[in-house]
Short mmCIF file of all heavy atoms in Angstrom, two decimals:
data_model
loop_
_atom_site.label_atom_id
_atom_site.label_comp_id
_atom_site.label_asym_id
_atom_site.label_seq_id
_atom_site.Cartn_x
_atom_site.Cartn_y
_atom_site.Cartn_z
N ILE B 99 160.32 -6.68 100.27
CA ILE B 99 161.57 -7.58 100.49
C ILE B 99 162.17 -7.91 99.15
O ILE B 99 161.58 -8.51 98.30
CB ILE B 99 161.23 -8.76 101.27
CG1 ILE B 99 160.62 -8.36 102.65
CG2 ILE B 99 162.48 -9.58 101.60
CD1 ILE B 99 160.24 -9.55 103.54
N ASP B 100 163.42 -7.53 99.04
CA ASP B 100 164.24 -7.82 97.84
C ASP B 100 164.63 -9.25 97.73
O ASP B 100 164.56 -10.01 98.71
CB ASP B 100 165.50 -6.88 98.04
CG ASP B 100 166.43 -7.04 96.96
OD1 ASP B 100 166.04 -7.23 95.77
OD2 ASP B 100 167.68 -6.98 97.23
N ALA B 101 165.08 -9.66 96.58
CA ALA B 101 165.60 -11.02 96.41
C ALA B 101 167.01 -11.10 96.89
O ALA B 101 167.78 -10.17 96.61
CB ALA B 101 165.58 -11.38 94.91
N GLY B 102 167.44 -12.17 97.57
CA GLY B 102 168.80 -12.28 98.02
C GLY B 102 168.79 -13.29 99.16
O GLY B 102 167.75 -13.67 99.74
N SER B 103 169.95 -13.79 99.49
CA SER B 103 169.99 -14.89 100.47
C SER B 103 169.73 -14.35 101.91
O SER B 103 169.09 -15.07 102.68
CB SER B 103 171.37 -15.56 100.43
OG SER B 103 172.35 -14.70 99.96
N THR B 104 170.22 -13.16 102.20
CA THR B 104 169.88 -12.65 103.53
C THR B 104 168.40 -12.29 103.68
O THR B 104 167.81 -12.59 104.68
CB THR B 104 170.67 -11.34 103.76
OG1 THR B 104 172.02 -11.46 103.43
CG2 THR B 104 170.57 -10.88 105.25
N THR B 105 167.82 -11.78 102.58
CA THR B 105 166.37 -11.42 102.69
C THR B 105 165.55 -12.70 102.79
O THR B 105 164.46 -12.65 103.36
CB THR B 105 166.00 -10.58 101.51
OG1 THR B 105 166.42 -11.16 100.27
CG2 THR B 105 166.64 -9.17 101.64
N THR B 106 166.01 -13.80 102.21
CA THR B 106 165.20 -15.04 102.36
C THR B 106 165.19 -15.50 103.83
O THR B 106 164.21 -15.88 104.36
CB THR B 106 165.87 -16.14 101.53
OG1 THR B 106 165.95 -15.72 100.18
CG2 THR B 106 165.09 -17.44 101.61
N GLN B 107 166.35 -15.35 104.45
CA GLN B 107 166.41 -15.63 105.91
C GLN B 107 165.48 -14.75 106.70
O GLN B 107 164.83 -15.18 107.63
CB GLN B 107 167.89 -15.41 106.39
CG GLN B 107 168.87 -16.37 105.78
CD GLN B 107 169.10 -17.56 106.70
OE1 GLN B 107 168.16 -18.05 107.28
NE2 GLN B 107 170.31 -18.04 106.70
N LEU B 108 165.49 -13.48 106.29
CA LEU B 108 164.55 -12.53 106.90
C LEU B 108 163.16 -13.03 106.86
O LEU B 108 162.42 -12.97 107.89
CB LEU B 108 164.70 -11.15 106.28
CG LEU B 108 163.62 -10.12 106.59
CD1 LEU B 108 163.67 -9.70 108.04
CD2 LEU B 108 163.73 -8.88 105.70
N ALA B 109 162.75 -13.50 105.70
CA ALA B 109 161.36 -13.94 105.55
C ALA B 109 161.06 -15.09 106.54
O ALA B 109 159.99 -15.16 107.13
CB ALA B 109 161.10 -14.37 104.08
N ARG B 110 162.06 -15.96 106.68
CA ARG B 110 161.83 -17.12 107.59
C ARG B 110 161.65 -16.62 109.01
O ARG B 110 160.85 -17.14 109.78
CB ARG B 110 163.07 -18.05 107.44
CG ARG B 110 163.04 -18.76 106.11
CD ARG B 110 164.22 -19.60 105.88
NE ARG B 110 164.16 -20.14 104.50
CZ ARG B 110 165.20 -20.74 103.93
NH1 ARG B 110 166.32 -20.91 104.55
NH2 ARG B 110 165.05 -21.18 102.70
N ALA B 111 162.54 -15.63 109.37
CA ALA B 111 162.39 -15.08 110.72
C ALA B 111 161.05 -14.39 110.88
O ALA B 111 160.44 -14.53 111.95
CB ALA B 111 163.58 -14.13 110.99
N LEU B 112 160.61 -13.68 109.88
CA LEU B 112 159.34 -12.96 109.92
C LEU B 112 158.13 -13.91 110.10
O LEU B 112 157.20 -13.64 110.82
CB LEU B 112 159.13 -12.15 108.66
CG LEU B 112 159.56 -10.69 108.68
CD1 LEU B 112 159.33 -10.07 107.28
CD2 LEU B 112 158.84 -9.95 109.77
N ALA B 113 158.27 -15.07 109.46
CA ALA B 113 157.23 -16.01 109.46
C ALA B 113 156.87 -16.47 110.92
O ALA B 113 155.74 -16.83 111.22
CB ALA B 113 157.53 -17.24 108.62
N ALA B 114 157.89 -16.41 111.82
CA ALA B 114 157.74 -16.86 113.17
C ALA B 114 157.11 -15.79 114.03
O ALA B 114 156.70 -16.06 115.15
CB ALA B 114 159.09 -17.31 113.69
N ARG B 115 157.07 -14.57 113.57
CA ARG B 115 156.56 -13.47 114.42
C ARG B 115 155.07 -13.45 114.40
O ARG B 115 154.43 -13.60 113.35
CB ARG B 115 157.15 -12.16 113.97
CG ARG B 115 158.70 -12.10 114.13
CD ARG B 115 159.14 -10.67 114.29
NE ARG B 115 158.48 -9.97 115.37
CZ ARG B 115 158.37 -8.70 115.55
NH1 ARG B 115 158.94 -7.87 114.65
NH2 ARG B 115 157.87 -8.16 116.62
N PRO B 116 154.46 -13.15 115.53
CA PRO B 116 153.00 -13.13 115.69
C PRO B 116 152.44 -11.76 115.25
O PRO B 116 151.83 -11.09 116.02
CB PRO B 116 152.82 -13.41 117.18
CG PRO B 116 153.96 -12.81 117.83
CD PRO B 116 155.08 -12.86 116.86
N LEU B 117 152.60 -11.44 113.95
CA LEU B 117 152.16 -10.14 113.49
C LEU B 117 151.29 -10.30 112.24
O LEU B 117 151.43 -11.27 111.58
CB LEU B 117 153.35 -9.28 113.15
CG LEU B 117 154.34 -8.84 114.20
CD1 LEU B 117 155.44 -8.08 113.52
CD2 LEU B 117 153.63 -8.00 115.25
N SER B 118 150.45 -9.26 112.06
CA SER B 118 149.78 -9.22 110.76
C SER B 118 150.46 -8.21 109.86
O SER B 118 150.72 -7.09 110.31
CB SER B 118 148.34 -8.81 110.91
OG SER B 118 147.63 -9.72 111.73
N PHE B 119 150.77 -8.55 108.69
CA PHE B 119 151.45 -7.60 107.84
C PHE B 119 151.36 -8.06 106.33
O PHE B 119 150.93 -9.18 106.05
CB PHE B 119 152.94 -7.41 108.18
CG PHE B 119 153.69 -8.73 108.31
CD1 PHE B 119 154.39 -9.18 107.21
CD2 PHE B 119 153.70 -9.40 109.49
CE1 PHE B 119 155.02 -10.44 107.32
CE2 PHE B 119 154.40 -10.62 109.58
CZ PHE B 119 155.07 -11.06 108.50
N THR B 120 151.72 -7.17 105.45
CA THR B 120 151.62 -7.44 104.06
C THR B 120 153.03 -7.39 103.46
O THR B 120 153.77 -6.47 103.81
CB THR B 120 150.78 -6.41 103.32
OG1 THR B 120 149.46 -6.47 103.87
CG2 THR B 120 150.64 -6.75 101.77
N VAL B 121 153.38 -8.42 102.64
CA VAL B 121 154.69 -8.43 102.07
C VAL B 121 154.65 -8.39 100.56
O VAL B 121 153.86 -9.05 99.97
CB VAL B 121 155.49 -9.68 102.52
CG1 VAL B 121 156.73 -9.93 101.72
CG2 VAL B 121 155.81 -9.62 104.00
N LEU B 122 155.46 -7.51 99.94
CA LEU B 122 155.58 -7.50 98.54
C LEU B 122 157.03 -7.92 98.22
O LEU B 122 158.01 -7.37 98.82
CB LEU B 122 155.45 -6.05 98.01
CG LEU B 122 153.97 -5.65 97.76
CD1 LEU B 122 153.76 -4.25 98.25
CD2 LEU B 122 153.67 -5.71 96.29
N THR B 123 157.24 -8.88 97.33
CA THR B 123 158.57 -9.37 97.07
C THR B 123 158.70 -9.81 95.64
O THR B 123 157.70 -10.03 94.92
CB THR B 123 158.92 -10.47 98.06
OG1 THR B 123 160.28 -10.85 97.85
CG2 THR B 123 158.05 -11.69 97.77
N ASN B 124 159.92 -9.94 95.19
CA ASN B 124 160.19 -10.52 93.87
C ASN B 124 160.99 -11.81 93.97
O ASN B 124 161.58 -12.29 93.07
CB ASN B 124 160.97 -9.50 92.97
CG ASN B 124 162.39 -9.24 93.50
OD1 ASN B 124 162.57 -9.17 94.66
ND2 ASN B 124 163.28 -9.07 92.60
N ASN B 125 160.92 -12.38 95.21
CA ASN B 125 161.68 -13.65 95.45
C ASN B 125 160.75 -14.76 95.80
O ASN B 125 159.94 -14.59 96.80
CB ASN B 125 162.72 -13.41 96.54
CG ASN B 125 163.55 -14.62 96.86
OD1 ASN B 125 163.05 -15.59 97.33
ND2 ASN B 125 164.80 -14.59 96.47
N ILE B 126 160.90 -15.86 95.17
CA ILE B 126 159.87 -16.99 95.42
C ILE B 126 160.12 -17.64 96.79
O ILE B 126 159.23 -18.14 97.41
CB ILE B 126 159.84 -18.01 94.33
CG1 ILE B 126 161.24 -18.75 94.28
CG2 ILE B 126 159.51 -17.41 93.04
CD1 ILE B 126 161.15 -19.99 93.34
N ASP B 127 161.35 -17.63 97.28
CA ASP B 127 161.60 -18.22 98.64
C ASP B 127 160.97 -17.43 99.74
O ASP B 127 160.52 -17.95 100.76
CB ASP B 127 163.05 -18.46 98.80
CG ASP B 127 163.64 -19.50 97.85
OD1 ASP B 127 162.93 -20.50 97.66
OD2 ASP B 127 164.71 -19.28 97.27
N VAL B 128 161.08 -16.09 99.54
CA VAL B 128 160.44 -15.23 100.50
C VAL B 128 158.96 -15.51 100.58
O VAL B 128 158.34 -15.63 101.66
CB VAL B 128 160.68 -13.72 100.14
CG1 VAL B 128 159.77 -12.79 100.99
CG2 VAL B 128 162.20 -13.35 100.32
N ALA B 129 158.35 -15.61 99.41
CA ALA B 129 156.90 -15.92 99.38
C ALA B 129 156.65 -17.27 99.98
O ALA B 129 155.70 -17.40 100.77
CB ALA B 129 156.49 -15.87 97.89
N ALA B 130 157.38 -18.28 99.62
CA ALA B 130 157.19 -19.61 100.14
C ALA B 130 157.27 -19.68 101.70
O ALA B 130 156.46 -20.29 102.32
CB ALA B 130 158.16 -20.58 99.54
N ALA B 131 158.25 -18.89 102.18
CA ALA B 131 158.46 -18.91 103.61
C ALA B 131 157.30 -18.29 104.43
O ALA B 131 156.99 -18.70 105.48
CB ALA B 131 159.74 -18.21 103.95
N LEU B 132 156.74 -17.25 103.83
CA LEU B 132 155.61 -16.55 104.49
C LEU B 132 154.26 -17.03 104.12
O LEU B 132 153.24 -16.68 104.75
CB LEU B 132 155.78 -15.04 104.20
CG LEU B 132 156.96 -14.33 104.83
CD1 LEU B 132 157.28 -13.02 104.17
CD2 LEU B 132 156.69 -14.16 106.34
N GLY B 133 154.18 -17.88 103.11
CA GLY B 133 152.89 -18.24 102.51
C GLY B 133 151.96 -18.96 103.45
O GLY B 133 150.76 -18.88 103.29
N HIS B 134 152.54 -19.62 104.44
CA HIS B 134 151.70 -20.45 105.33
C HIS B 134 151.21 -19.66 106.61
O HIS B 134 150.47 -20.18 107.40
CB HIS B 134 152.42 -21.71 105.77
CG HIS B 134 152.35 -22.76 104.73
ND1 HIS B 134 151.18 -23.45 104.53
CD2 HIS B 134 153.24 -23.14 103.80
CE1 HIS B 134 151.35 -24.33 103.55
NE2 HIS B 134 152.61 -24.09 103.11
N ASN B 135 151.70 -18.46 106.70
CA ASN B 135 151.25 -17.61 107.80
C ASN B 135 149.91 -16.94 107.49
O ASN B 135 149.84 -16.13 106.61
CB ASN B 135 152.33 -16.57 108.12
CG ASN B 135 152.04 -15.81 109.39
OD1 ASN B 135 150.89 -15.68 109.82
ND2 ASN B 135 153.05 -15.26 109.96
N PRO B 136 148.83 -17.40 108.17
CA PRO B 136 147.55 -16.89 107.73
C PRO B 136 147.34 -15.38 108.04
O PRO B 136 146.50 -14.73 107.48
CB PRO B 136 146.60 -17.67 108.61
CG PRO B 136 147.40 -18.19 109.78
CD PRO B 136 148.80 -18.31 109.32
N ARG B 137 148.19 -14.86 108.91
CA ARG B 137 148.07 -13.47 109.26
C ARG B 137 148.89 -12.58 108.35
O ARG B 137 148.92 -11.39 108.54
CB ARG B 137 148.59 -13.21 110.69
CG ARG B 137 147.95 -14.20 111.67
CD ARG B 137 148.39 -13.88 113.10
NE ARG B 137 148.07 -12.45 113.39
CZ ARG B 137 148.06 -11.96 114.63
NH1 ARG B 137 148.35 -12.74 115.62
NH2 ARG B 137 147.79 -10.69 114.87
N CYS B 138 149.53 -13.17 107.37
CA CYS B 138 150.37 -12.46 106.42
C CYS B 138 149.91 -12.52 105.00
O CYS B 138 149.68 -13.62 104.51
CB CYS B 138 151.76 -12.97 106.64
SG CYS B 138 152.97 -12.35 105.49
#
Side-chain angles (χ1 to χ4, degrees):
Chain B
I99 302 180
D100 177 36
S103 27
T104 313
T105 50
T106 304
Q107 295 264 37
L108 165 65
R110 291 171 184 171
L112 264 179
R115 297 205 57 200
L117 295 176
S118 297
F119 53 92
T120 301
V121 168
L122 276 137
T123 184
N124 68 322
N125 180 292
I126 63 168
D127 293 318
V128 169
L132 291 162
H134 278 284
N135 188 335
R137 311 185 55 166
C138 174

